[in-house]
Amino acid sequence: MNVLITGASRGIGRAIAEKFASEGFNIIINYNKSKLEDVEKLKEYLENKYNIKVLCLKCDVSQEEEVKKLFYDIKKWCEKLDCIVNNAGIANDMPLDEKTSFDFLDVLKVNLLGTFLICKYGYKLIDEGSIINMSSNNAYGGYIESVDYDASKAGVIALTHDFAKYLSPKIRVNCLCPGWIDTDMNKNMFEEFREKEKNKILLKKFGEAKDIAEAVYFLATNQYINNAIIKVDGGYEN
Ligand code: NAP
């Protein structure tokens, strides 16, 4: 069994890679700006611990030619995929008046166009299996500082429904909406804001990357769940 996870060098993507590796999947780790030596260390760790095979491929998911090359390389390595996890994403929060069109489009390009391109070229390598897209709770409304991120994640939900319909019945397409998860993405958050957000979560704590990894694995392996949008947010109430 082979799975491609985009943005698997760090954070949630890395935890997803470890979860699938622990279940015996061979893993394709996609990364973009991470150092090759760090990604190779991750490959060595997963291969030694779980006795599986790992391929590391650098690709900016927002660049169509790079995405085509990614799948060319994957096809040579394993021919077919069982699952694709569209996890790569960026955020660039800032006051509304400072946000330029360039900033806005930059976030849309990675989060939304990137997910589209990976679906568009990736499904051809799946005979039967599933695609899991990473949206966010912010798809349902966040803050003005993250308006680009929030719009991109709402787009990922729409795209999930369209691909689920188009690819049925052979390929299931599902989507996860994590709430606050402790990763690099949130590491510069002001303590005061963090406390305020934590108090809106019924479980009164941020999630861990492994909480999302387990949900992704569930979506990948449950054979009747399709076209679903699932929140994993500890019960966040805005
Ligand atoms: P993270 O720690 O910042 O990691 C982001 C990952 O995405 C890295 O592996 C990075 O690779 C990769 N990436 C970024 N731009 C890329 C590009 N253009 N092409 C390929 N890979 C790219 O973020 P995270 O918190 O793990 O988030 C993972 C996903 O969950 C994202 O889609 C995010 O929006 C979503 N999410 C996160 C939270 C949260 O609270 N953390 C909540 C809801 C949803 P390099 O470092 O190699 O560039």
Side-chain angles (χ1 to χ4, degrees):
M1 304 276 269
N2 306 306
V3 57
L4 161 67
I5 302 146
T6 67
S9 51
R10 299 183 285 120
I12 293 172
R14 183 189 167 111
I16 297 169
E18 177 143 20
K19 174 64 187 168
F20 277 85
S22 74
E23 301 289 346
F25 278 73
N26 297 316
I27 314 285
I28 296 129
I29 291 177
N30 157 247
Y31 66 103
N32 187 31
K33 292 184 181 158
S34 291
K35 285 193 207 134
L36 177 61
E37 67 206 62
D38 290 340
V39 185
E40 276 178 345
K41 262 190 220 151
L42 174 59
K43 169 183 159 82
E44 205 180 300
Y45 165 74
L46 293 175
E47 285 186 336
N48 292 339
K49 184 162 181 191
Y50 298 109
N51 196 25
I52 46 110
K53 288 192 165 43
V54 175
L55 174 69
C56 301
L57 291 175
K58 181 172 159 60
C59 162
D60 178 344
V61 296
S62 69
Q63 300 299 316
E64 189 155 8
E65 291 310 311
E66 290 188 34
V67 171
K68 285 189 196 168
K69 171 80 166 58
L70 174 81
F71 286 109
Y72 176 82
D73 290 340
I74 292 172
K75 197 167 181 211
K76 271 201 307 192
W77 189 68
C78 64
E79 197 69 30
K80 289 289 170 194
L81 287 171
D82 299 282
C83 181
I84 294 174
V85 184
N86 261 310
N87 167 76
I90 58 168
N92 188 13
D93 297 0
M94 64 176 84
L96 177 64
D97 289 342
E98 288 171 26
K99 216 180 263 289
T100 63
S101 305
F102 177 84
D103 296 323
F104 188 93
L105 286 174
D106 202 36
V107 172
L108 256 81
K109 267 190 188 163
V110 176
N111 298 0
L112 185 55
L113 179 65
T115 302
F116 164 72
L117 291 172
I118 294 287
C119 286
K120 177 182 172 187
Y121 292 103
Y123 85 84
K124 293 172 183 159
L125 295 195
I126 304 177
D127 285 342
E128 272 189 44
S130 80
I131 296 175
I132 294 129
N133 295 327
M134 199 62 76
S135 177
S136 162
N137 238 354
N138 285 43
Y140 300 100
Y143 292 99
I144 198 65
E145 291 81 1
S146 59
V147 62
D148 39 11
Y149 180 83
D150 304 348
S152 72
K153 293 301 187 180
V156 167
I157 291 177
L159 189 146
T160 298
H161 292 310
D162 291 348
F163 273 99
K165 201 191 282 182
Y166 181 65
L167 297 177
S168 67
K170 292 284 187 191
I171 302 176
R172 296 176 295 106
V173 186
N174 291 297
C175 179
L176 269 189
C177 297
W180 289 116
I181 308 297
D182 270 321
T183 66
D184 290 349
M185 197 172 259
N186 304 319
K187 71 178 177 201
N188 295 324
M189 191 182 272
F190 292 115
E191 199 47 45
E192 201 183 320
F193 180 67
R194 187 186 164 93
E195 277 308 303
K196 224 174 98 192
E197 288 301 298
K198 213 167 80 178
N199 277 321
K200 294 182 186 172
I201 305 168
L202 296 178
L203 295 181
K204 301 295 173 211
K205 59 178 183 185
F206 278 30
E208 295 174 33
K210 73 170 175 44
D211 299 322
I212 303 306
E214 281 162 13
V216 169
Y217 189 72
F218 167 72
L219 291 179
T221 49
N222 183 299
Q223 297 301 314
Y224 200 59
I225 192 156
N226 189 25
N227 201 17
I229 313 297
I230 296 185
K231 283 188 182 183
V232 183
D233 64 1
Y236 181 86
E237 295 190 321
N238 209 346

